[in-house]
Amino acid sequence: MRNLYRLLPVLMLALAVSSCQTQPQSDAVEATTGTIGVTLLTMTHPFFQNLAAGLEEAAGEHNMAVTVNSAEFDVARQRNQIADFIVQGVDAIVMSPADSKAIVTAIQEANEAGIPVFTADIAALADGVEIVTHIATDNYSGGRLAAEAVLEIAEEAAEIAIIDHPEVESVIQRTKGFHDVINEANTNGKAIEVVAQLPGGGIKDRAFRVAEDILQAHPNLDVIFAINDDTALGAVAAIEKAGKSGTVQVVGFDGTAEARRAILEGKIYADVIQHPHQIGIMTVESIVSYMNGDDLPPEQLIPATLYRQADAAADPILQEEAASE
Amino acid sequence: MSLSKLLSDYGMLIVLILLCVFYSITTLDEQNPRGVDAAEQVTQMILDGYNTQDRIVVVSKSNPEHVLFANTLLEELESSGYQNVEHIEGEPPEVRSAFEQFDSLGVRADAVAIPQDYSTIIGNIKNRIPVMSQAQIVAPRSYRWPTFLLANNLRNVANQIVVIAIIAVGMTMVIITAGIDLSVGSLIAFSAVVAAWIIREMGGADATLGVMVLASVIAILMCGLVGFASGITITKFKVPPFIATLAVMLVASGFAYIISKGESIYEIPDSYVWLGRGADLFSIPNAVVLMVIIYVLAHILMTRTTLGRYIYAVGGNPEAARLSGIRVNLVLLFVYTMCGIMAGLGGIVQASQLKSGAPTYGLLYELYVIAAVVVGGTSLQGGEGKISGTLIGAFIIAVIQNGMNLTGVESYTQKVVLGFVILLAVLLDMLKKRSWGGKKKTVAAG
């Protein structure tokens, strides 16, 4: 009996932990010019962490409040988060859909509530939804850049593999651009064969296992194109384990800090780097323009760039790290 | 004595109420009147401040709430004799170009009547257009009320937990028999994918109502069959439930990926969202009505029928149950089949809410379902538990998640808090038994 009374304050304490950090936020809301509700695909990925940082930074400059939620790949959870944003009456919703198609009903609900929806990095692919603008990396040309990096390594004939993640639209664009360049090269006399294209889920441990299988099955493999950096790092680990460092090269995508270090050390040949921070800033700027009544194009693409060992050697981020160590 | 009984019987209900009070206080915020209310308030403000010759511009977006506001306001102003009323409907760029047109024509406005949630944006735009800068913004006054207690939000809370709550009914029965079913999360995906696939193959976006019902029923029955298969493995081959359903979890998830080829199936008629998004009865969501019906039926089954008593008996002491003539295996087969059917139904609700079926649905939902059951006071050692407790458990989880979303707590912290709540519920249960369990079985029974 008495124990029960003692436990209730503990519960309230646990809840207080969750509320104390929000108190200043809700006070701040009144002084700002708007609130932005954000739900991203995941926050366990450096890409989205950088994107969120860009959003928060730019929102701070424009005196707006941001709430960043993460769907962690669960589209139903993302739908709930959007429903909660609608109830809160946020001024804009920014999302990276966990499923480009299943998110439709949630976007429609936001449309019905008159809240403008912006998509960042991942587009919503369906009719009957109104998206103010989509801000993303130009993944197709990014995929082309990756293939050009592969062509730098490959000789006249080469065996290459792709570790894929075909559930995600941006990755489909990357592999499409990649295949287009390889096919163009083959019609121009090269003999580059894609011997394997397997899904690695975009995460390190699964990519590691898939890469191991690919290395087993294709002993003459020359290059692996990994559709993101976690996949690339998983592939590097498998190559090191198989004792094939140097004989099998990796081309990655994203440009996370860990991958940049691997490029500096020569473990990854090159990365197509995206600029997620830039995407975040651009998104907030689009929201501000929307609120000013400016017209916005339906899609705004931010170009990707190639990043090789020489770039890593000159990278201020890596030099800072080296200096602090 | 009666107070302690009250606490032991209604402990988690009290926690739920405390949670609601807590979030009502912390989400107290400015709310905007909407639709007709907003229009009536604005009408009054215009009647008080402007004469019938003044030029009033009504601005709204094209979503239903704003349209309702604008139409009501226009009607009221017309019937009050205002002749100079104009309506601009659209997104900010359209409003801006309309204002710019006023500017080029040199027509000024006296008031811009607008819903509260659009007033900041339009105020910004207006102030940059010389001819409009004199016009006053007339918007309904906001009032203070907890966001948590808005009717829309309460509907949200119920809607967000429906899938987990429905499956928790089946899980409660399984856990009362001292079993566990880990396959329910995968069965959500399996059911959603099977139903969506059948609909796509039989007409796609033009499929008839009959096809949609048939597809859903087939998907639910297939999940029931999967549950039955788990039951057979557990009863005939004596495989522990944890292992048997773990295997089924992987198989069902694998099939969901195979059938859908790893992508979401979305070629489904718009009317399929009736169950997940419709609200026909007193604007209570249809899925919530379905959930309530299921809870009532399950409550009757568990408290008023022989089968219900058998389920408790099997969980309490299977050997004693067998000796007293209960066909233990049949009871177990029933609960696992039922759990499969409930998971299938949960999958259909999910597919309906999202108007598509994808193999990624239901990830880790088995854990939330088990959490709802345990927080609701059902003992993992079997023999004890209540369907009504499970509903409370599900709502505790829903309120915490919703409340944390509303107060802007990030996802990581949400997990920590949820974990602590589950732990607390179990501790509370243990303490309850230690204080009053003298006459009954002690905690060490398991």
Side-chain angles (χ1 to χ4, degrees):
Chain A
M1 189 50 233
R2 233 175 278 138
N3 285 331
L4 274 176
Y5 282 131
R6 254 182 244 149
L7 268 174
L8 290 176
V10 177
L11 177 73
M12 298 322 273
L13 192 72
L15 289 162
V17 168
S18 65
S19 65
C20 62
Q21 34 179 201
T22 69
Q23 222 51 50
Q25 230 177 40
S26 56
D27 286 344
V29 169
E30 282 156 17
T32 57
T33 57
T35 52
I36 308 174
V38 182
T39 161
L40 300 176
L41 173 67
T42 172
M43 280 298 275
T44 59
H45 193 297
F47 177 89
F48 287 100
Q49 291 165 357
N50 289 339
L51 201 161
L55 279 168
E56 278 162 356
E57 187 186 301
E61 277 168 23
H62 290 282
N63 209 20
M64 296 173 120
V66 200
T67 307
V68 180
N69 276 337
S70 161
E72 292 310 328
F73 304 98
D74 181 353
V75 66
R77 184 157 155 202
Q78 190 160 48
R79 182 177 182 270
N80 293 347
Q81 290 167 345
I82 292 167
D84 291 339
F85 285 144
I86 295 172
V87 163
Q88 282 169 281
V90 297
D91 295 294
I93 293 176
V94 175
M95 65 172 94
S96 305
D99 183 314
S100 297
K101 281 140 194 166
I103 199 63
V104 170
T105 57
I107 298 177
Q108 283 169 342
E109 277 163 22
N111 289 156
E112 278 166 28
I115 298 175
V117 176
F118 299 75
T119 51
D121 185 48
I122 305 167
L125 293 173
D127 301 329
V129 295
E130 283 164 38
I131 306 288
V132 178
T133 182
H134 173 63
I135 300 105
T137 302
D138 188 347
N139 281 295
Y140 175 79
S141 65
R144 293 188 66 100
L145 281 177
E148 277 157 25
V150 168
L151 291 178
E152 288 173 11
I153 315 165
E155 291 157 19
E156 286 312 300
E159 283 189 10
I160 59 176
I162 301 173
I163 304 181
D164 203 356
H165 186 31
E167 286 88 352
V168 179
E169 179 60 25
S170 56
V171 174
I172 297 173
Q173 291 297 325
R174 286 173 201 176
T175 48
K176 185 164 177 285
F178 186 87
H179 278 295
D180 283 356
V181 169
I182 298 292
N183 290 342
E184 283 160 23
N186 283 343
T187 51
N188 292 334
K190 289 231 181 186
I192 292 164
E193 193 191 348
V194 178
V195 292
Q197 178 165 0
L198 293 171
I203 48 176
K204 224 183 265 181
D205 56 337
R206 266 184 69 190
F208 171 74
R209 276 174 275 148
V210 169
E212 275 195 316
D213 293 344
I214 292 175
L215 291 170
Q216 272 305 326
H218 305 285
N220 298 323
L221 195 73
D222 298 296
V223 190
I224 293 177
F225 169 42
I227 52 81
N228 70 3
D229 275 341
D230 277 350
T231 307
L233 292 163
V236 165
I239 290 167
E240 282 175 353
K241 191 179 165 217
K244 289 194 168 180
S245 303
T247 45
V248 180
Q249 298 279 5
V250 176
V251 173
F253 208 113
D254 279 351
T256 62
E258 195 180 357
R260 286 174 197 224
R261 219 173 300 127
I263 290 169
L264 185 64
E265 292 162 3
K267 291 174 178 172
I268 296 178
Y269 172 74
D271 240 18
V272 179
I273 59 168
Q274 306 196 68
H275 304 281
H277 196 258
Q278 204 58 42
I279 295 177
I281 291 172
M282 185 83 147
T283 307
V284 173
E285 277 164 7
S286 298
I287 293 172
V288 173
S289 330
Y290 168 86
M291 289 183 166
N292 290 337
D294 297 332
D295 270 315
L296 287 167
E299 191 177 59
Q300 304 178 69
L301 295 180
I302 292 174
T305 47
L306 259 184
Y307 180 101
R308 303 181 190 81
Q309 199 167 18
D311 300 301
D315 194 326
I317 299 173
L318 294 181
Q319 280 167 355
E320 252 172 55
E321 270 181 20
S324 65
E325 264 164 24
Chain B
M1 182 59 202
S2 65
L3 184 64
S4 64
K5 171 125 176 51
L6 190 79
L7 270 177
S8 79
D9 284 356
Y10 300 104
M12 289 327 277
L13 186 61
I14 293 169
V15 171
L16 178 60
I17 292 166
L18 284 177
L19 278 169
C20 291
V21 171
F22 179 81
Y23 280 121
S24 299
I25 296 167
T26 50
T27 63
L28 193 63
D29 202 359
E30 299 287 321
Q31 308 295 344
N32 304 320
R34 291 163 193 277
V36 175
D37 290 347
E40 274 164 4
Q41 217 187 100
V42 170
T43 308
Q44 197 54 49
M45 290 162 99
I46 290 174
L47 286 176
D48 291 346
Y50 299 87
N51 63 49
T52 50
Q53 300 307 314
D54 285 340
R55 188 154 177 276
I56 315 285
V57 179
V58 177
V59 179
S60 74
K61 291 193 184 185
S62 53
N63 61 299
E65 227 163 50
H66 277 207
V67 169
L68 186 63
F69 165 84
N71 289 345
T72 317
L73 181 59
L74 291 171
E75 270 172 38
E76 301 244 348
L77 289 181
E78 199 190 348
S79 64
S80 306
Y82 284 81
Q83 293 141 12
N84 249 335
V85 182
E86 189 163 345
H87 181 201
I88 303 169
E89 182 180 292
E91 296 292 304
E94 294 156 79
V95 177
R96 181 174 172 173
S97 65
F99 282 4
E100 278 165 355
Q101 210 179 349
F102 290 163
D103 198 45
S104 62
L105 295 172
V107 281
R108 40 166 222 94
D110 297 295
V112 177
I114 194 163
Q116 177 70 39
D117 59 352
Y118 207 13
S119 60
T120 321
I121 293 178
I122 299 305
N124 281 340
I125 294 174
K126 175 186 79 78
N127 289 342
R128 259 182 274 150
I129 298 185
V131 83
M132 295 297 294
S133 57
Q134 297 299 316
Q136 294 293 317
I137 291 271
V138 183
R141 262 185 295 273
S142 54
Y143 57 97
R144 287 186 79 77
W145 180 257
T147 308
F148 178 79
L149 288 182
L150 289 176
N152 273 340
N153 188 58
L154 295 177
R155 264 197 291 276
N156 263 354
V157 172
N159 232 347
Q160 288 173 8
I161 203 64
V162 153
V163 174
I164 284 167
I166 287 177
I167 301 172
V169 168
M171 187 67 82
T172 307
M173 296 181 189
V174 167
I175 291 180
I176 287 176
T177 66
I180 195 91
D181 188 345
L182 298 179
S183 68
V184 291
S186 299
L187 284 179
I188 293 175
F190 181 70
S191 165
V193 164
V194 166
W197 184 82
I198 295 175
I199 293 172
R200 185 176 68 183
E201 297 302 305
M202 292 178 70
D206 304 317
T208 60
L209 177 67
V211 168
M212 289 190 275
V213 173
L214 184 75
S216 307
V217 170
I218 290 177
I220 293 169
L221 289 182
M222 281 178 78
C223 290
L225 209 64
V226 172
F228 183 77
S230 304
I232 293 282
T233 329
I234 292 159
T235 54
K236 291 288 171 215
F237 302 102
K238 305 290 173 212
V239 179
F242 189 93
I243 304 298
T245 57
L246 181 67
V248 172
M249 165 180 140
L250 293 171
V251 172
S253 172
F255 270 113
Y257 274 95
I258 291 168
I259 295 167
S260 64
K261 299 195 173 69
E263 292 173 354
S264 59
I265 303 176
Y266 59 97
E267 296 89 344
I268 291 181
D270 287 339
S271 52
Y272 195 66
V273 302
W274 176 82
L275 180 62
R277 283 187 63 195
D280 292 336
L281 189 73
F282 308 119
S283 60
I284 299 170
N286 294 332
V288 176
V289 174
L290 174 73
M291 176 188 82
V292 171
I293 293 173
I294 289 174
Y295 269 88
V296 169
L297 291 179
H299 180 75
I300 292 171
L301 173 79
M302 294 303 282
T303 55
R304 302 282 157 84
T305 67
T306 324
L307 180 59
R309 280 198 295 281
Y310 285 177
I311 292 173
Y312 282 105
V314 167
N317 187 338
E319 190 55 25
R322 192 183 63 80
L323 291 174
S324 56
I326 296 172
R327 298 172 71 182
V328 173
N329 283 356
L330 271 185
V331 171
L332 288 176
L333 274 180
F334 171 81
V335 296
Y336 284 98
T337 308
M338 198 44 119
C339 196
I341 287 175
M342 288 300 153
L345 190 57
I348 297 299
V349 173
Q350 183 98 85
S352 171
Q353 284 182 338
L354 298 167
K355 209 185 81 155
S356 55
T360 49
Y361 290 178
L363 193 70
L364 294 183
Y365 276 35
E366 56 277 354
L367 299 184
Y368 287 106
V369 170
I370 294 168
V373 176
V374 171
V375 170
T378 299
S379 161
L380 279 171
Q381 282 123 33
E384 254 180 77
K386 275 190 211 149
I387 293 289
S388 55
T390 298
L391 187 62
I392 293 169
F395 268 87
I396 287 178
I397 292 176
V399 167
I400 291 175
Q401 276 185 338
N402 172 263
M404 285 194 288
N405 278 345
L406 292 187
T407 47
V409 179
E410 48 151 1
S411 313
Y412 302 146
T413 321
Q414 292 194 7
K415 278 188 182 174
V416 174
V417 173
L418 212 58
F420 272 114
V421 168
I422 293 168
L423 202 62
L424 218 93
V426 179
L427 281 178
L428 210 66
D429 198 45
M430 290 293 190
L431 284 173
K432 193 173 82 186
K433 280 179 189 158
R434 198 173 295 167
S435 334
W436 302 296
K439 287 157 264 171
K440 288 190 279 175
K441 241 180 353 180
T442 52
V443 184

